[in-house]
Amino acid sequence: VMAFWILNESLSILLGLSWLGVNLYLFIDTFSWYEEEESFLYTRVILGSTLAWARASAVCLNFNCMLILLPISRNLISFMRGTSTCCRGPWRRQLDKNLKFHKLVAYGIAINATIHIVAHLCNLEHYRWSQSTEAEGLLAALAKLGKTPNESYLNPIRTFHTNTITVLLTTTAGVTGLIISLAFILIMTSSTEFIRQVSYELFWYTHHVFIIFFISLAIHGAGRIVRGQTPESQLLHNVTFCKDHYAQWQTAAQCPTPQFSGKEPSAWKWVLGPVVLYTCERIIRFWRFRQEVVITKVVSHPSGVLELHMKKRNFKMAPGQYVLIQCPSISWLEWHPFTLTSAPQENFFSVHIRVAGDWTEALCKAFGAGGQARKESWSLPRLAVDGPFGTALTDVFHYPVSVCVAAGIGVTPFASLLKSIWYRCESHTQLKLSKVYFYWICRDPRAFEWFADLLLSLETLMSERGKAHFLSYHIFLTNWDENQAVHIALHWDANTDVITGLKQKTFYGRPDWNHEFRQLAYTHPSSNIGVFFCGPKALSKTLQRMCRLYSSADPRGVHFYYHKESF
């Protein structure tokens, strides 16, 4: 089993190691270059090895800043997902981990930024100390360069009594470095799971500080605080010989005074491509924002769920995709992801929105949900829709057997899938998919109301088509009161379930995943089974562990492939 798991995860590990390998290569190569390069020999006399530490971490920062925007370019990811020639099988599954890679790159930026900041703080102290009376020999000679008109300076700190904080706040490199650091700290701290759950709006707004981050990054190197010997000076001034004859620089013809200049800024070259790509992403979003969205139906469900039916010109979707929705009357900046609950065969697209924060609460109030007076269509607020975008669930039809697991409102992506199955069965479309197992774990019995009708119609159609075996669903209720328990007990022998009205009875409690996966492995001994999940992280980890545990080490045995919805 462990061997299979390593084989199954090998591509993810390979990509992660490739990213790490490139970082290590860039760091070591740049570090070695600055430790050996003759043009920076005099700079190393003042700064020592912290020069190489600062420059090597800077190159790795540029590399990771180049990558950070790519995983969140939704249109690019959707395009790659739709390109079957380059994204098949395991490669396609890597696209589902785009947010994980985004976070990994962010950690890479954090580590290299820390190294870069500490190294430059040490550099500033080395610059200052070289101006002290204790500095002597070549070090003192280099520190004093730049005091006469025909000399260029190497040390940006001109006196020992200069405050390094003043240098930070009065130079281009210092000010932009401070802005970059503060912006990144703000982005990182507001990206924690706790902040996103408590205040998604705070996460959303602070993430847009990335604009300031990238502008400051592009001009950060313009300060040229780290200087090296110019190529022209190297031709006239042989450092190997002249470093030992520094007292004769003013008089000896073979050792003229060395000239120095700052290195050309290069960060903008690294990030220009991804920034242009992400700008195109935002232009596409703005274009979609301008397109008219017609709201055709508003349904307020008792379980605190708002259902919206909409139409938009040239809108094409696939089961399991999601859209970003903006309501300008609530916020001009906020776009929130919602999975589509309609099927591609329907002449509208729909979303189900549960109140889970300030924005969703304001949206439900704006549409007259939650017991408020129903609003006329002309008085409804305007919505903007961006998308649709592909997710892991679009791969459900690529497996002979698929297991769909939803927790709470996480059922919404599977509504689109089940509807699509219903339409395909009605039109007698041949499917590679031959069996679907659907598990829904929910606390509130009222949440079953809007979804039960879909399951009932699908259950009826499958029976009529002689495909009753095609869909096997298991609904688990994890919370109930004493009155409900009595009512359930009294009607247990009824032909249909007392809560859902379906033939399949509702289970009470939580699934025994060991039993379920053992049964799946026994029923489909030689199949590739796709496991698709939408819900909380704790259950995701459990399912991922079950996939590894019950996958066969034999290539001809049963293999479980795990997919998690992430936005």
Side-chain angles (χ1 to χ4, degrees):
V1 174
M2 183 57 69
F4 168 75
W5 176 78
I6 293 173
L7 181 65
N8 188 34
E9 296 294 322
S10 59
L11 192 53
S12 297
I13 295 170
L14 177 63
L15 292 173
L17 289 176
S18 298
W19 170 81
L20 182 61
V22 172
N23 273 280
L24 288 173
Y25 169 76
L26 289 173
F27 192 95
I28 294 170
D29 182 66
T30 307
F31 190 95
S32 302
W33 192 84
Y34 275 94
E35 283 285 273
E36 298 169 3
E37 173 59 28
E38 281 196 351
S39 62
F40 285 93
L41 187 146
Y42 288 141
T43 313
R44 288 195 297 274
V45 171
I46 298 178
L47 301 182
S49 63
T50 52
L51 166 68
W53 281 99
R55 299 311 304 160
S57 56
V59 171
C60 290
L61 269 172
N62 291 338
F63 171 66
N64 285 286
C65 288
M66 177 186 73
L67 296 178
I68 193 72
L69 292 176
L70 298 179
I72 55 171
S73 299
R74 290 183 173 89
N75 288 292
L76 174 65
I77 298 295
S78 293
F79 172 77
M80 293 176 66
R81 184 183 292 278
T83 309
S84 58
T85 54
C86 68
C87 289
R88 291 181 178 177
W91 286 102
R92 192 181 179 92
R93 285 194 289 276
Q94 300 314 306
L95 297 176
D96 303 334
K97 301 176 182 178
N98 60 318
L99 293 184
K100 281 187 176 181
F101 184 66
H102 179 69
K103 293 175 184 177
L104 180 66
V105 173
Y107 290 133
I109 292 175
I111 292 169
N112 285 290
T114 303
I115 296 172
H116 189 70
I117 291 168
V118 171
H120 268 315
L121 289 175
C122 293
N123 287 338
L124 286 175
E125 191 56 35
H126 287 152
Y127 276 137
R128 192 182 74 86
W129 188 85
S130 68
Q131 296 286 9
S132 70
T133 54
E134 297 178 18
E136 54 186 26
L138 178 60
L139 176 61
L142 291 169
K144 290 178 173 57
L145 286 175
K147 291 185 176 180
T148 59
N150 64 333
E151 293 178 350
S152 58
Y153 71 90
L154 176 59
N155 188 343
I157 295 181
R158 306 309 300 155
T159 67
F160 176 70
H161 300 289
T162 301
N163 191 331
T164 52
I165 296 176
T166 304
V167 175
L168 279 173
L169 298 177
T170 55
T171 61
T172 302
V175 172
T176 54
L178 189 61
I179 292 172
I180 291 168
S181 302
L182 292 175
F184 188 71
I185 290 170
L186 188 61
I187 291 171
M188 285 287 285
T189 53
S190 63
S191 300
T192 60
E193 188 172 354
F194 174 77
I195 294 294
R196 284 187 283 116
Q197 289 179 350
V198 172
S199 178
Y200 185 84
E201 290 78 9
L202 178 62
F203 159 76
W204 182 265
Y205 285 122
T206 53
H207 242 59
H208 282 76
V209 177
F210 84 93
I211 299 171
I212 299 172
F213 176 90
F214 275 98
I215 292 173
S216 301
L217 181 68
I219 61 178
H220 178 61
R224 304 187 185 188
I225 198 166
V226 175
R227 299 163 70 84
Q229 195 175 357
T230 64
E232 296 80 6
S233 176
Q234 283 184 277
L235 294 174
L236 303 173
H237 181 104
N238 187 333
V239 292
T240 306
F241 173 78
C242 295
K243 66 178 177 154
D244 298 322
H245 300 81
Y246 59 88
Q248 304 171 19
W249 284 356
Q250 302 287 347
T251 56
Q254 67 268 36
C255 289
T257 303
Q259 301 296 315
F260 301 94
S261 66
K263 205 172 185 322
E264 286 285 335
S266 60
W268 67 271
K269 299 176 184 177
W270 288 84
V271 301
L272 179 62
V275 167
V276 169
L277 183 68
Y278 191 76
T279 302
C280 294
E281 183 94 7
R282 286 306 183 103
I283 291 172
I284 292 171
R285 179 176 297 181
F286 179 75
W287 174 67
R288 288 172 174 166
F289 165 80
R290 302 287 297 174
Q291 292 179 318
E292 183 184 10
V293 176
V294 179
I295 301 167
T296 59
K297 187 177 181 181
V298 178
V299 181
S300 178
H301 295 282
S303 52
V305 174
L306 174 69
E307 181 181 354
L308 297 177
H309 290 206
M310 295 166 279
K311 287 185 177 181
K312 185 179 177 182
R313 183 179 296 177
N314 299 324
F315 187 90
K316 296 179 181 179
M317 60 162 289
Q321 290 187 317
Y322 72 97
V323 294
L324 294 171
I325 293 180
Q326 184 207 54
C327 184
S329 63
I330 298 175
S331 171
W332 279 94
L333 287 178
E334 292 183 51
W335 292 79
H336 290 258
F338 296 98
T339 49
L340 293 164
T341 54
S342 52
Q345 294 83 353
E346 295 175 306
N347 63 353
F348 63 89
F349 64 95
S350 65
V351 293
H352 285 68
I353 301 171
R354 179 172 62 90
V355 176
D358 296 339
W359 190 89
T360 49
E361 183 179 356
L363 186 73
C364 289
K365 286 181 180 178
F367 280 91
Q372 300 181 38
R374 186 174 178 179
K375 294 190 176 184
E376 297 296 329
S377 58
W378 58 268
S379 65
L380 294 175
R382 176 180 176 268
L383 293 182
V385 174
D386 185 18
F389 304 106
T391 62
L393 195 59
T394 55
D395 292 338
V396 164
F397 293 99
H398 297 165
Y399 292 94
V401 180
S402 288
V403 179
C404 303
V405 183
I409 197 64
V411 75
T412 51
F414 301 106
S416 174
L417 167 69
L418 295 176
K419 282 183 182 179
S420 184
I421 290 174
W422 189 90
Y423 280 107
R424 294 187 188 200
C425 288
E426 193 175 42
S427 61
H428 302 281
T429 304
Q430 287 294 110
L431 296 174
K432 179 181 179 180
L433 181 65
S434 60
K435 181 69 177 180
V436 176
Y437 293 91
F438 176 62
Y439 295 84
W440 187 15
I441 304 103
C442 194
R443 294 184 59 191
D444 187 358
R446 294 181 301 167
F448 295 121
E449 295 169 2
W450 70 271
F451 202 70
D453 289 341
L454 171 62
L455 287 175
L456 181 61
S457 61
L458 193 59
E459 185 180 64
T460 304
L461 181 68
M462 292 301 173
S463 298
E464 292 175 355
R465 294 282 187 267
K467 294 183 177 180
H469 65 282
F470 182 85
L471 175 66
S472 176
Y473 57 89
H474 309 269
I475 299 175
F476 292 83
L477 180 63
T478 60
N479 187 36
W480 61 89
D481 57 33
E482 186 177 345
N483 292 332
Q484 288 172 332
V486 172
H487 185 62
I488 291 165
L490 289 173
H491 296 83
W492 184 254
D493 293 328
N495 292 329
T496 57
D497 185 69
V498 66
I499 290 181
T500 62
L502 299 168
K503 292 180 181 178
Q504 173 68 53
K505 295 297 181 70
T506 298
F507 297 93
Y508 299 92
R510 299 184 184 278
D512 179 354
W513 292 115
N514 275 298
H515 170 75
E516 298 297 335
F517 273 81
R518 193 182 302 114
Q519 189 63 38
L520 287 168
Y522 176 78
T523 308
H524 307 281
S526 302
S527 298
N528 289 333
I529 301 176
V531 178
F532 299 84
F533 173 69
C534 186
K537 185 180 291 185
L539 183 53
S540 175
K541 290 180 179 178
T542 300
L543 293 173
Q544 200 166 11
R545 188 173 67 254
M546 292 295 110
C547 288
R548 292 198 299 264
L549 184 61
Y550 287 97
S551 290
S552 173
D554 186 350
R556 295 167 297 179
V558 62
H559 296 142
F560 292 92
Y561 296 92
Y562 183 71
H563 303 261
K564 183 183 182 297
E565 288 289 286
S566 56
F567 307 109

